[in-house]
Amino acid sequence: MSSSAENPTLTTEITKPSTEIATETAQSAKKINLKTSDDQIFEVEESVAMEFATVKSFFEDAPSSTDTVPLPNVPAKPFSQVIEFCKEQIKFKANPDETEKKKSNSEFVKEKTNEDLVEMIPVANYLEIKDLLDVLNQAVADRIQNRSVEYVRSFFGIDNDFTSEEEALLREEHAWAFEDVDED
Amino acid sequence: MERLLQSINGDLVTDILSRVDGSALASVASTCSELRGIARDQGLWKKLCHSRWPSTALEETEHLISGSVHGCFDKFYSDACQLVLYDEFASANSLKLPECAELNPGTSPSDLLSLIDVYSKNRCVFSRVLDGIPDAVDIFKHGLVDSSWEMIADERQKWFLDYPFKLELMGQKDDDDDELLDSPISSISEAGKSRENHCKKLIEDLRLSWILVDKNTGKAVNLSSWKPLSVQKSWPYHATLCDAIWVRSTSGRKFASSEAGQIHNNSQIQDDRKRGVPEMERDQHEN
């Protein structure tokens, strides 16, 4: 899997017509330009862009718009992964197969780092991609299940702001929860 | 990844936390004050309680747990998910036993609520809330204890040597709860197995969760999750499950914990005196 984040223009990867999508409808040839918060332009097939409810409603409000759509809350790195997900999803729209879809979703999250997942969540939320948000939230939940407090802290990149007394009290209160956690 | 949480709003965190179990939720609550606030959401704990012990979703329980000044769902979950351990098991596994609260001799069985959930193959098939302790004797009313909480020896013997938790479940469908249990019973019967095998199978499949809640303080204790000691089937139309949970020393008998797959030996019930369930005697003789 090539990492789109390392490629600043991204157009070569994104515009490469996916045969499955291109043959579906004539519309899919149309491209839409989306500009991320770090000023990268993504040229995305319309069928993929319409998976983003936020973008879709942009065009519903201004049907004839040909401008580049700004996505002020969306950085390029997680966005390229979100596009990757949506391209896969579209295949299942034409040919719904729940088992295959689940398999594809779990493969998608499997190869993502913790950081990737957490970074994609606000993007999926902003773009209102419900399926992706569901997949991501479940993946994060699975990854913090049976883990130590320290692991959860580093997972979310949070600082411990409890005093040592408070922490000791919490540890005692929740002692029952820490008996069977996995090794970090 | 610095302060990733800041980019995820509270609703999203709540959605993630609604997908983890109670232990993970407690871990999250211990990470920082911001997550602690979110992880104390009673809705999350209520959902966990309801799915683990469907009896907590029954109206009278829910009212008691959420309405109590002392009790709320996170506290209840924490109380009820900890299995009752006994000294020997705890010391062998370096576990700390909860300290016994002060005795409150004024408590009688009628101050308690029994939350009963019966599971068959890990699926809850029956939930009931019972007032007090089923078939319990009010040891105060009957003068079985003296003022210093010592039970009169003979009476104690009588009380413990025969104190089964007996549950009769009808194979007939008289309401939705029982209907589910009907299927494992009848399917085995139809398979032509002998009655004895059938009962053995039920012993393997059935688990009981029995949580006592103090109506005054909201404190709960879990006496589960025990395999039935015996199952008897009555002929011809209904199955009677004699779910005999002997609340006394049964040396050599083991029961499985659904929580961690540990095996506990049923010997001593901690933390019960104040609720009017007298402490079990380690050296009680098998009769």
Side-chain angles (χ1 to χ4, degrees):
Chain A
M1 176 87 30
S2 69
S3 171
S4 321
E6 286 158 16
N7 180 350
T9 60
L10 290 159
T11 43
T12 46
E13 188 191 339
I14 304 301
T15 53
K16 202 187 291 174
S18 158
T19 45
E20 293 91 329
I21 298 166
T23 50
E24 265 174 38
T25 59
Q27 275 187 329
S28 58
K30 196 181 162 193
K31 301 287 197 299
I32 286 171
N33 286 331
L34 302 168
K35 189 174 159 192
T36 60
S37 60
D38 38 0
D39 290 333
Q40 293 192 26
I41 309 276
F42 283 71
E43 198 183 34
V44 180
E45 301 202 8
E46 190 187 27
S47 58
V48 174
M50 289 306 122
E51 289 290 294
F52 314 147
T54 310
V55 175
K56 195 176 178 185
S57 61
F58 178 89
F59 281 101
E60 280 164 3
D61 294 343
S64 57
S65 173
T66 53
D67 298 342
T68 298
V69 183
L71 302 174
N73 296 323
V74 179
K77 185 188 156 218
F79 186 50
S80 62
Q81 297 180 332
V82 167
I83 292 171
E84 178 200 335
F85 177 88
C86 289
K87 283 172 120 179
E88 280 298 308
Q89 288 293 297
I90 287 173
K91 296 179 190 168
F92 295 109
K93 275 201 162 171
N95 186 14
D97 181 337
E98 280 306 313
T99 322
E100 281 299 309
K101 191 171 165 179
K102 269 194 184 137
K103 208 171 130 195
S104 155
N105 288 350
S106 72
E107 269 166 25
F108 175 80
V109 295
K110 210 166 114 190
E111 63 201 17
K112 298 289 174 287
T113 65
N114 293 344
E115 190 177 341
D116 288 339
L117 291 181
V118 179
E119 284 178 348
M120 271 191 281
I121 288 175
V123 175
N125 186 49
Y126 174 75
L127 295 173
E128 295 178 46
I129 314 165
K130 284 203 172 58
D131 282 355
L132 176 58
L133 197 56
D134 190 58
V135 167
L136 293 172
N137 285 357
Q138 188 59 49
V140 169
D142 291 344
R143 289 192 187 185
I144 60 171
Q145 190 73 58
N146 288 332
R147 292 302 196 146
S148 69
V149 175
E150 289 74 19
Y151 182 92
V152 178
R153 272 188 199 131
S154 76
F155 188 99
F156 288 113
I158 46 186
D159 299 322
N160 177 12
D161 61 352
F162 293 125
T163 65
S164 51
E165 290 82 12
E166 282 175 325
E167 173 140 31
L169 204 67
L170 280 167
R171 294 262 172 186
E172 199 184 317
E173 191 183 321
H174 294 146
W176 55 270
F178 305 137
E179 281 164 17
D180 294 305
V181 295
D182 298 342
E183 295 281 323
D184 288 348
Chain B
M1 67 181 149
E2 55 180 82
R3 303 300 301 153
L4 271 175
L5 265 188
Q6 285 175 352
S7 60
I8 304 182
N9 68 39
D11 287 347
L12 289 174
V13 178
T14 305
D15 184 76
I16 293 169
L17 297 186
S18 71
R19 300 158 188 262
V20 299
D21 70 11
S23 322
L25 195 51
S27 290
V28 170
S30 309
T31 53
C32 69
S33 48
E34 187 187 347
L35 277 185
R36 183 170 188 231
I38 300 174
R40 295 202 114 186
D41 183 311
Q42 287 303 302
L44 293 174
W45 288 103
K46 184 170 162 177
K47 198 181 132 206
L48 285 172
C49 287
H50 287 184
S51 79
R52 187 158 174 180
W53 306 287
S55 59
T56 58
L58 300 172
E59 200 182 335
E60 50 208 304
T61 331
E62 201 176 320
H63 181 72
L64 175 72
I65 299 170
S66 57
S68 159
V69 274
H70 309 278
C72 38
F73 284 96
D74 56 341
K75 185 74 178 54
F76 179 89
Y77 190 95
S78 153
D79 281 348
C81 77
Q82 302 179 70
L83 288 168
V84 168
L85 301 175
Y86 71 105
D87 291 330
E88 199 176 280
F89 177 84
S91 58
N93 292 276
S94 320
L95 296 174
K96 198 176 148 233
L97 286 171
E99 282 178 27
C100 277
E102 279 192 23
L103 302 182
N104 178 9
T107 307
S108 84
S110 59
D111 291 322
L112 303 171
L113 211 56
S114 286
L115 309 189
I116 312 288
D117 292 289
V118 178
Y119 307 83
S120 173
K121 296 173 185 166
N122 297 324
R123 201 164 59 111
C124 185
V125 291
F126 176 88
S127 296
R128 282 285 185 280
V129 178
L130 303 173
D131 213 28
I133 302 172
D135 298 328
V137 179
D138 188 330
I139 50 178
F140 296 99
K141 207 186 277 176
H142 290 77
L144 301 189
V145 286
D146 63 22
S147 55
S148 61
W149 248 89
E150 288 298 315
M151 264 200 147
I152 294 146
D154 289 352
E155 294 297 343
R156 179 166 59 190
Q157 191 90 346
K158 203 185 287 173
W159 209 58
F160 287 118
L161 284 181
D162 190 14
Y163 186 64
F165 181 93
K166 187 177 169 181
L167 191 64
E168 290 189 359
L169 292 174
M170 308 296 274
Q172 290 163 317
K173 300 176 187 178
D174 58 356
D175 65 35
D176 291 344
D177 289 324
D178 291 345
E179 190 173 332
L180 282 165
L181 193 64
D182 183 50
S183 45
I185 294 171
S186 45
S187 63
I188 299 164
S189 305
E190 284 157 18
K193 297 200 176 165
S194 74
R195 188 187 297 188
E196 196 182 334
N197 283 346
H198 176 195
C199 291
K200 270 186 194 155
K201 182 90 173 59
L202 283 175
I203 288 177
E204 289 308 311
D205 291 345
L206 289 176
R207 292 291 179 277
L208 170 82
S209 164
W210 177 14
I211 300 169
L212 287 178
V213 191
D214 188 322
K215 289 187 221 169
N216 299 319
T217 64
K219 180 142 175 63
V221 65
N222 193 341
L223 309 177
S224 58
S225 297
W226 298 334
K227 286 164 79 170
L229 291 185
S230 71
V231 173
Q232 292 166 357
K233 192 168 184 280
S234 302
W235 189 256
Y237 295 116
H238 62 272
T240 301
L241 309 180
C242 179
D243 199 347
I245 309 300
W246 297 85
V247 190
R248 65 181 179 92
S249 170
T250 50
S251 52
R253 284 199 199 281
K254 306 252 171 134
F255 61 91
S257 137
S258 63
E259 174 70 9
Q262 301 155 322
I263 301 297
H264 304 279
N265 193 339
N266 172 15
S267 286
Q268 190 171 20
I269 307 294
Q270 287 286 317
D271 202 20
D272 275 330
R273 280 188 167 192
K274 64 183 188 296
R275 296 188 194 79
V277 185
E279 198 174 9
M280 305 310 131
E281 291 295 304
R282 252 318 267 134
D283 56 358
Q284 196 84 50
H285 299 296
E286 295 268 290
N287 53 342

